[in-house]
């Protein structure tokens, strides 16, 4: 293996949970400020996870635990593959496998909350996955490759030919990050209608595993956003920061909505935008 | 894996609480929820109000315990992983309050599960409730040390249920 690959893997493994945790902390702080509160310290997510690791492990059954670990491994793998500039389609399927195992883990417990949460998580995956594929295909149509290393050689920032696809990606990623109005299967905020959905039956160290996996996923999501302006590092960082800020603001101004609305709205808006953008690619 | 000191610090800095209304007149419940408002904002201390006993560290109980709901109270307590502490809110939660002599009432929360901190008052002010929870955090740190040594405190019934498994 080449030296730079080793460095990329090491960075992906160790730096991304730190970045993801800090992003989560900043997210909570900004959310609190938007609600007129003072908010927890930035390092709060790390305290939470360390506390969870120190708690007694109470499990429902072994399948649940296996699923938590597979979910974590899949999340790590997506980030590592991204850092290795691998194939977008491969990354997509690894992401899907992780999501499916989270659902299986929730279905393994008999509690009605986690069952409903699992069903809703499936609907969420059904909603964002076609859109994510459309985004990746549009990247292929513009750059001629699914490989990130080839995409990075493209001269023009992807945001210019694919501006509408970036909005579609925004829908998909809001669902993936489980932010309002799409926090249907589970949510980071306090009381919700079905409380914690898919995470209801996870406790202590296993909840910590899922939280860490979520940090990796956040980094992955930001990484995909960064692809859209790869020509200039400063604009890339600006784009990612602005996207996440928009994500937080949408999270705060929206109420959580029903899955029927999500499916109808996201698919119609997403498909329409994709259609417009695809036409634009051909006309150009 | 994590240094013990850091672990105990995180325990104190990230208490998630679950609020159980055992048979309160709703006076205490409103005061508990007031702690979450921007005026008091307990999330400053990392306190989250969770709806799931499996995620909680602190059980906040309002109201008296009666013969009907004592099973529910025990059940919620049993589902919380160690280390955990219990805070009894209000005159009712502490002793049974004005309902103490009623035929259906068992008494305060400590008749059923061990209580670590009492918040007297009818209804107590949110400041007092926060004080009570901060007091409970010291106990949480102590209990955390015992859990690290492998000592778990369980109700008699739970201990039997676990060893029977
Ligand atoms: S202590 Fe007072 S306010 Fe609280 S539940 Fe009892 S009667 Fe109601």
């Amino acid at each position: 293996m080449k030296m730079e690959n080793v460095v990329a893997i090491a960075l992906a493994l160790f730096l991304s949970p730190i970045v993801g945790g800090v992003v989560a902390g900043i997210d909570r702080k900004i959310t609190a400020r938007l609600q007129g509160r003072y908010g927890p310290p930035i390092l709060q997510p790390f305290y939470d996870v360390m506390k969870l690791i120190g708690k007694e492990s109470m499990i429902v059954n072994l399948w649940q635990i296996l699923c938590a670990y597979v979910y974590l491994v899949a999340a790590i793998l997506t980030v590592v593959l991204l850092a290795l500039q691998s194939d977008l389609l491969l990354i997509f399927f690894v992401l899907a496998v992780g999501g499916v195992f989270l659902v299986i883990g929730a279905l393994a417990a008999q509690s009605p909350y986690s069952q409903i949460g699992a069903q809703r998580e499936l609907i969420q995956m059904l909603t964002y996955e076609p859109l994510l594929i459309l985004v990746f295909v549009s990247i292929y149509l513009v750059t001629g490759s699914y490989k990130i290393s080839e995409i990075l050689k493209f001269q023009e920032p992807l945001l210019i030919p694919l501006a509408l696809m970036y909005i579609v990606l925004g829908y998909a990623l809001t669902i993936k990050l489980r932010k309002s109005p799409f926090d249907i299967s589970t949510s980071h905020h306090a009381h919700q209608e079905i409380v914690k959905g898919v995470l209801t039956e996870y406790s202590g160290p296993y909840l910590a595993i899922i939280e860490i996996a979520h940090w990796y996923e956040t980094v992955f999501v930001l990484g995909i956003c960064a692809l859209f302006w790869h020509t200039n590092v400063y604009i890339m960082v600006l784009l990612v920061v602005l996207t996440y800020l928009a994500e937080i603001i949408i999270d705060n101004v929206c109420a959580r909505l029903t899955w029927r609305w999500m499916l109808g709205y996201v698919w119609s808006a997403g498909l329409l935008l994709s259609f417009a953008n695809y036409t634009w690619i051909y006309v150009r | 894996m994590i240094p013990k000191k850091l672990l105990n610090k995180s325990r104190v800095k990230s208490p998630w609480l679950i609020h159980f209304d055992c048979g309160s007149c709703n006076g205490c419940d409103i005061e508990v929820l007031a702690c979450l408002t921007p005026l008091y904002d307990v999330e400053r201390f990392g306190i989250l109000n969770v709806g799931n006993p499996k995620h909680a560290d602190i059980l906040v109980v309002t109201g008296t315990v009666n013969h009907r709901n004592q099973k529910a109270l025990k059940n919620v307590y049993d589902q919380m992983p160690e280390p955990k502490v219990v805070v009894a809110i209000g005159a009712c939660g502490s002793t049974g309050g004005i309902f103490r002599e009623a035929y259906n009432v068992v008494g305060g929360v400590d008749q059923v599960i061990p209580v670590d901190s009492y918040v007297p008052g009818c209804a107590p002010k949110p400041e007092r409730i926060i004080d009570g929870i901060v007091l409970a955090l010291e106990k949480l740190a102590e209990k955390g040390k015992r859990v690290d040594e492998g000592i778990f405190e369980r109700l008699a019934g739970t201990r039997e249920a676990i060893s029977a498994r």
Side-chain angles (χ1 to χ4, degrees), chain A residues 37 48 54-56 201, chain B residues 14 43 54 57 82 154:
Chain A
R37 295 185 289 118
D48 288 350
K55 290 210 79 156
E56 176 191 14
E201 292 301 319
Chain B
S14 146
E43 208 195 347
K54 294 193 176 187
D57 307 287
E82 299 262 0
R154 295 197 188 280

Side-chain angles (χ1 to χ4, degrees), chain A residues 134-281:
Chain A
L134 281 177
V135 172
F136 289 166
V137 170
S138 72
I139 293 180
Y140 168 78
L141 288 178
V142 170
T143 62
S145 174
Y146 282 115
K147 259 193 113 54
I148 297 175
S149 50
E150 298 295 317
I151 294 169
L152 291 181
K153 289 189 192 125
F154 195 64
Q155 294 301 323
E156 190 186 21
L158 286 175
L159 191 61
I160 294 169
L162 294 177
L164 293 179
M165 288 324 274
Y166 195 70
I167 302 175
V168 177
L169 181 71
Y171 282 123
L173 298 186
T174 316
I175 300 176
K176 184 75 208 156
L177 289 176
R178 299 199 194 86
K179 294 215 168 274
S180 284
F182 305 125
D183 48 349
I184 292 171
S185 66
T186 180
S187 158
H188 271 106
H189 298 300
H191 279 295
Q192 291 272 8
E193 167 206 346
I194 51 164
V195 195
K196 270 292 190 181
V198 268
L199 307 183
T200 306
E201 292 301 319
Y202 286 105
S203 62
Y206 307 106
L207 191 62
I209 288 177
I210 290 183
E211 195 56 34
I212 294 171
H214 191 73
W215 292 350
Y216 277 104
E217 270 185 348
T218 310
V219 172
F220 165 75
V221 161
L222 297 180
I224 292 285
C225 289
L227 266 187
F228 276 74
W229 207 295
H230 59 275
T231 44
N232 184 324
V233 180
Y234 297 109
I235 303 183
M236 183 167 95
V237 173
L238 190 70
L239 179 71
V240 168
V241 170
L242 283 181
T243 309
Y244 203 82
L245 271 181
E247 214 60 90
I248 295 175
I249 290 172
I250 291 172
D251 188 25
N252 274 288
V253 297
C254 291
R256 175 242 280 250
L257 289 161
T258 60
W259 67 266
R260 280 190 192 83
W261 178 87
M262 174 183 70
L263 205 62
Y265 173 72
V266 174
W267 269 9
S268 52
L271 290 179
L272 219 64
L273 287 170
S274 312
F275 182 71
N277 208 144
Y278 274 53
T279 325
W280 165 240
I281 294 174

Side-chain angles (χ1 to χ4, degrees), chain B residues 64-144:
Chain B
T64 54
V65 184
N66 59 39
H67 291 288
R68 186 51 91 167
N69 66 20
Q70 61 173 337
K71 289 190 203 102
L73 178 61
K74 264 191 202 160
N75 195 349
V76 169
Y77 180 80
D78 281 343
Q79 285 187 53
M80 291 168 61
E82 299 262 0
K84 57 186 167 190
V85 288
V86 180
V87 182
I89 306 279
C92 293
S94 306
T95 62
I98 52 164
F99 304 112
R100 191 181 166 84
E101 302 297 324
Y103 66 93
N104 60 336
V105 166
V106 178
V109 176
D110 53 6
Q111 303 291 315
V112 182
I113 54 176
V115 173
D116 298 280
S117 146
Y118 297 87
V119 182
C122 176
K125 293 170 99 179
E127 289 95 330
R128 261 200 165 167
I129 296 177
I130 296 174
D131 271 356
I133 289 169
V134 169
L135 196 68
L137 289 182
E138 289 168 21
K139 295 249 184 146
L140 189 68
E142 274 170 42
K143 285 196 178 177

Side-chain angles (χ1 to χ4, degrees), chain B residues 49-62:
Chain B
N49 185 11
V50 294
N52 180 355
K54 294 193 176 187
H55 297 176
D57 307 287
I58 304 183
L59 176 58
V60 174
V61 191
T62 52

Side-chain angles (χ1 to χ4, degrees), chain A residues 2-22:
Chain A
K2 272 189 282 172
M3 193 57 211
E4 44 193 272
N5 282 355
V6 178
V7 174
I9 293 176
L11 277 182
L13 274 183
F14 299 111
L15 205 61
S16 37
I18 297 173
V19 173
V22 171

